[in-house]
Amino acid sequence: MSNQPNGYADTSQGYSGGAGPYAGQAPAQATQAAQAAPADPARQALLNVRHEVGKAVVGQESTVTGMLIALLCGGHVLLEGVPGVAKTLLVRALSTALSLDTKRVQFTPDLMPGDVTGSLVYDSHTSEFSFREGPVFTNILLADEINRTPPKTQASLLEAMEEHQVSVDGVSRPLPAPFIVAATQNPVEYEGTYPLPEAQLDRFLLKLTMPLPARAEEIEVIRRHAGGFDPRNLAAAGVSAVAGSEELAQARHAVSRVAVAPEILAYIVDVVRATRAAPSFQLGVSPRGATALLNTSRAWAWLSGRGFVTPDDVKALSLPCLRHRVGLRPEAQMDGVHVDDVLGSILASVPVPR
């Protein structure tokens, strides 16, 4: 298991911490598999995206990779971190580097479903009702502090997340492609919040944690700001579009061709079934979670420069893919048991195919 907060380390081909006037000093690393892999323009384009995001965001490389994996799989992401760790900046920088549209919604207790999906508006000139699109009509929707709005408004996103469409007044309207939701929540402040229901949590492909930066990274953040970095002006930081919808579509097609041996499929199922038998869990992972683990493992294998999935790929994505799909028993919570620790024990006990 990696010591990265999201389970995997960014060692795929060609990544560096950024360039330009506010560049970090993170060294480039590459796995032997990625070095030996033939050049793939789509893969290189996505690796360039990580390079561009690094011009604005210090550290958080595993979170950037998780967002790319979600885009490759067409899934949604739950970002968990205290305020001020660059969640909004990361999404804005990613959408800029991918030339995608993004919109931000601050979820509050008085937010109504129509404020997210859109609503019918009466036009006095035509004496007819017309549909006014809500912020959900975008490529990357940043749902900020999603757990601060009541369940009724949270539920307004379910159709959009699952069907990539919204229905208003009996008419279904498709959302742009690609479309993902990046929802944030504060892991330490729960007063005045509404916990996300299990059905909605299960719709998120990944739950990524954004930790506070290490000392060296925090020094780099301050250095950039001292040098004039403005998080509201990404162009001045040198962030530019290096990929787009076409490269993303090519990448998705390539990911779908990544080979998965029968032994790997069985290993994924064994890991998922072990969560249902774990004494500390009252809720295990559903078959949807097994499918998510399969898809994200393929995306990670492709990003790493391989055309096949290994057990290490499955292990690497198990924490971000499964941690929000399980529920601890009350007695385990009282004993201070953490979900990631239980999942780590499961991965250590399930036999790995050879």
Side-chain angles (χ1 to χ4, degrees):
M1 287 293 294
S2 166
N3 60 0
Q4 294 288 323
N6 292 312
Y8 46 84
D10 280 318
T11 55
S12 51
Q13 181 184 9
Y15 175 75
S16 63
Y22 312 110
Q25 303 298 322
Q29 295 177 317
T31 60
Q32 293 181 354
Q35 290 173 333
D40 186 327
R43 181 187 297 113
Q44 189 57 50
L46 291 189
L47 295 178
N48 291 340
V49 166
R50 300 199 301 181
H51 177 84
E52 289 297 305
V53 174
K55 297 177 182 179
V57 180
V58 179
Q60 308 296 356
E61 288 89 357
S62 63
T63 306
V64 176
T65 299
M67 291 290 294
L68 288 176
I69 289 174
L71 283 165
L72 287 171
C73 299
H76 311 288
V77 178
L78 185 61
L79 298 172
E80 188 172 87
V82 299
V85 292
K87 296 186 291 291
T88 302
L89 179 61
L90 186 149
V91 172
R92 289 179 55 239
L94 182 67
S95 61
T96 298
L98 278 167
S99 191
L100 297 177
D101 181 50
T102 183
K103 293 177 182 175
R104 176 177 177 270
V105 178
Q106 182 67 46
F107 279 69
T108 57
D110 60 348
L111 193 73
M112 300 298 292
D115 297 330
V116 178
T117 61
S119 57
L120 295 177
V121 178
Y122 182 73
D123 188 340
S124 60
H125 296 288
T126 61
S127 299
E128 294 180 349
F129 285 93
S130 60
F131 179 70
R132 180 176 295 174
E133 293 183 348
V136 74
F137 286 85
T138 186
N139 297 125
I140 304 178
L141 176 67
L142 178 59
D144 211 356
E145 294 188 295
I146 190 173
N147 57 336
R148 290 204 172 278
T149 200
K152 182 177 181 180
T153 305
Q154 292 176 3
S156 67
L157 278 178
L158 279 177
E159 182 186 13
M161 294 172 67
E162 186 67 21
E163 306 293 339
H164 288 198
Q165 67 177 27
V166 296
S167 298
V168 178
D169 196 34
V171 178
S172 298
R173 294 174 171 85
L175 298 175
F179 168 76
I180 70 167
V181 173
T184 72
Q185 64 179 12
N186 188 332
V188 296
E189 187 179 0
Y190 292 104
E191 185 177 353
T193 63
Y194 303 84
L196 296 179
E198 301 299 335
Q200 186 166 9
L201 280 173
D202 204 35
R203 259 69 175 189
F204 285 100
L205 182 72
L206 300 172
K207 179 182 179 181
L208 305 176
T209 60
M210 295 185 66
L212 289 168
R215 182 176 183 273
E217 294 174 341
E218 196 161 5
I219 291 175
E220 175 61 19
V221 171
I222 300 302
R223 186 189 72 81
R224 295 189 185 190
H225 280 268
F229 173 70
D230 183 359
R232 290 172 291 274
N233 188 357
L234 294 179
V239 181
S240 59
V242 294
S245 299
E246 182 178 349
E247 288 82 4
L248 189 57
Q250 293 172 356
R252 286 183 171 184
H253 178 67
V255 168
S256 68
R257 296 167 57 190
V258 172
V260 187
E263 295 80 8
I264 299 297
L265 294 176
Y267 179 57
I268 291 173
V269 170
D270 289 342
V271 169
V272 167
R273 292 179 66 87
T275 66
R276 303 170 194 164
S280 297
F281 289 156
Q282 64 179 354
L283 176 67
V285 178
S286 70
R288 181 189 283 128
T291 302
L293 184 54
L294 166 64
N295 293 336
T296 54
S297 298
R298 296 174 88 174
W300 175 237
W302 180 81
L303 276 175
S304 301
R306 281 177 283 101
F308 56 92
V309 175
T310 69
D312 284 341
D313 296 325
V314 177
K315 287 186 175 183
L317 271 299
S318 291
L319 292 185
C321 197
L322 304 181
R323 56 165 59 115
H324 57 295
R325 304 175 192 271
V326 295
L328 284 172
R329 295 186 183 277
E331 53 269 29
Q333 296 180 16
M334 294 178 62
D335 291 339
V337 176
H338 296 285
V339 167
D340 284 7
D341 294 336
V342 179
L343 290 175
S345 299
I346 289 173
L347 291 172
S349 62
V350 174
V352 178
R354 301 295 180 185

